[in-house]
């Protein structure tokens, strides 16, 4: 892979809002060809229109990252549309804040499905192609909550982010000679849209 982001094809999951959408705008401004994927196609299309009006290249793909075969299909569609994939940013994630004592197993499932399994499905869809082409970069959004447990309230969220950090480190050990693996321990961003606030 040549150095620099210009001309690279980058898939950003959770690109409809927040950090994903802003990253898409920034990378497109720097010359990347950006593919953004999330459930809300209308929001994705607004980001794509924004990028296009500034002269950048972007396409949107409706995607629920909890659907393993849909993640595979979107990666295949991006390769068909752009000719290749160079970078995967596993950004889709959610952080409902709630004490464990409330035992909201639906939210626990959601965080595990999106933050953890969604990240793994992204890796599963992109890694074989990256290994075959001998290059690629997988960037996983972890968190400071993946280093220090964010409790009370963010215990399960932290659990998913500890797992994302562990998987990133293990993946780097296993494939790091061919594929770059980065885990971003992001701190609080004003972009977060809190879905559940105590
Ligand atoms: N903001 C912060 O302070 C920090 C954030 N992070 C991490 O950064 C990432 C982005 O956070 P942030 O920008 O704040 O979050 P937002 O809530 O603003 O955006 C989350 C994105 O994920 C998408 N998403 C949620 N569920 C799914 C799903 N099932 N399939 C596909 N896409 C999905 C949403 O799109 P849609 O609803 O359209 O599907 C949206 O685009 C997360 O992984 C978060 O944990 C880490 C540390 C700090
Ligand atoms: C625990 C936090 O608020 C962290 N910044 C995150 O959003 O992951």
């Amino acid at each position: 892979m040549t150095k620099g982001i210009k001309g690279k094809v980058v898939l950003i999951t959770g690109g409809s809002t927040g950090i994903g959408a802003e990253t898409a705008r920034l990378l497109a401004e720097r010359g990347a060809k950006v593919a953004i994927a999330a459930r809300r196609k209308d929001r994705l299309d607004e980001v794509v229109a924004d990028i296009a009006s500034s002269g950048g290249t972007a396409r949107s793909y409706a995607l629920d990252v909890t659907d393993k075969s849909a993640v595979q299909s979107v990666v295949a569609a991006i390769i068909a549309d752009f000719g290749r994939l160079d970078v995967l940013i596993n950004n889709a994630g959610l952080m409902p804040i709630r004490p464990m004592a409330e035992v909201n197993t639906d939210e626990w499932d959601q965080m595990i499905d999106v933050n953890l399994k969604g990240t793994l499905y992204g890796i599963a869809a992109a890694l074989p192609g990256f290994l075959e082409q001998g290059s690629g970069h997988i960037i996983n959004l972890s968190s400071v909550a993946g280093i220090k447990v964010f409790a009370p309230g963010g215990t399960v969220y932290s659990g998913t982010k500890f797992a994302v950090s562990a998987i990133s480190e293990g993946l780097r050990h296993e494939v790091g000679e061919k594929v770059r693996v980065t885990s971003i321990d992001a701190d609080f961003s004003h972009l977060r849209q809190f879905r559940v606030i105590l």
Side-chain angles (χ1 to χ4, degrees):
M1 188 157 52
T2 54
K3 282 200 183 340
I5 198 66
K6 198 166 178 352
K8 297 276 164 55
V9 180
V10 182
L11 164 58
I12 305 171
T13 68
S16 57
T17 56
I19 291 173
E22 287 311 306
T23 303
R25 290 189 178 94
L26 181 70
L27 295 183
E29 207 179 285
R30 298 196 175 170
K33 296 172 187 164
V34 176
I36 50 175
R39 292 165 304 175
R40 287 170 295 171
K41 184 82 163 61
D42 53 332
R43 299 293 293 267
L44 291 170
D45 287 339
E46 286 170 23
V47 180
V48 166
D50 242 32
I51 290 173
S53 70
S54 312
T57 304
R59 291 181 82 123
S60 67
Y61 300 83
L63 175 66
D64 184 335
V65 296
T66 68
D67 180 342
K68 187 168 27 177
S69 63
V71 182
Q72 296 279 347
S73 301
V74 162
V75 167
I78 291 165
I79 293 169
D81 292 341
F82 290 97
R84 59 185 290 116
L85 177 66
D86 298 297
V87 182
L88 163 67
I89 305 182
N90 274 316
N91 166 78
L94 65 153
M95 182 177 82
I97 309 278
R98 201 180 291 283
M100 295 292 287
E102 286 188 25
V103 191
N104 191 319
T105 53
D106 287 344
E107 285 180 355
W108 299 352
D109 283 342
Q110 260 189 321
M111 281 185 274
I112 290 165
D113 288 348
V114 177
N115 303 2
L116 178 50
K117 290 169 78 175
T119 296
L120 284 169
Y121 294 162
I123 293 168
L127 185 60
F130 286 174
L131 289 172
E132 202 180 313
Q133 70 196 20
S135 69
H137 192 169
I138 295 172
I139 301 173
N140 298 324
L141 262 292
S142 186
S143 165
V144 289
I147 301 172
K148 184 169 179 2
V149 176
F150 174 44
T155 299
V156 176
Y157 176 76
S158 272
T160 64
K161 292 301 182 179
F162 268 70
V164 167
S165 296
I167 288 160
S168 304
E169 190 179 325
L171 181 63
R172 190 178 310 114
H173 278 296
E174 293 193 32
V175 302
E177 284 186 9
K178 277 189 172 176
V179 177
R180 288 181 71 189
V181 181
T182 302
S183 176
I184 299 182
D185 301 321
D187 201 346
F188 186 80
S189 150
H190 70 284
L191 298 168
R192 172 174 291 290
Q193 298 171 337
F194 285 97
R195 293 219 158 71
V196 179
I197 299 184
L198 285 176

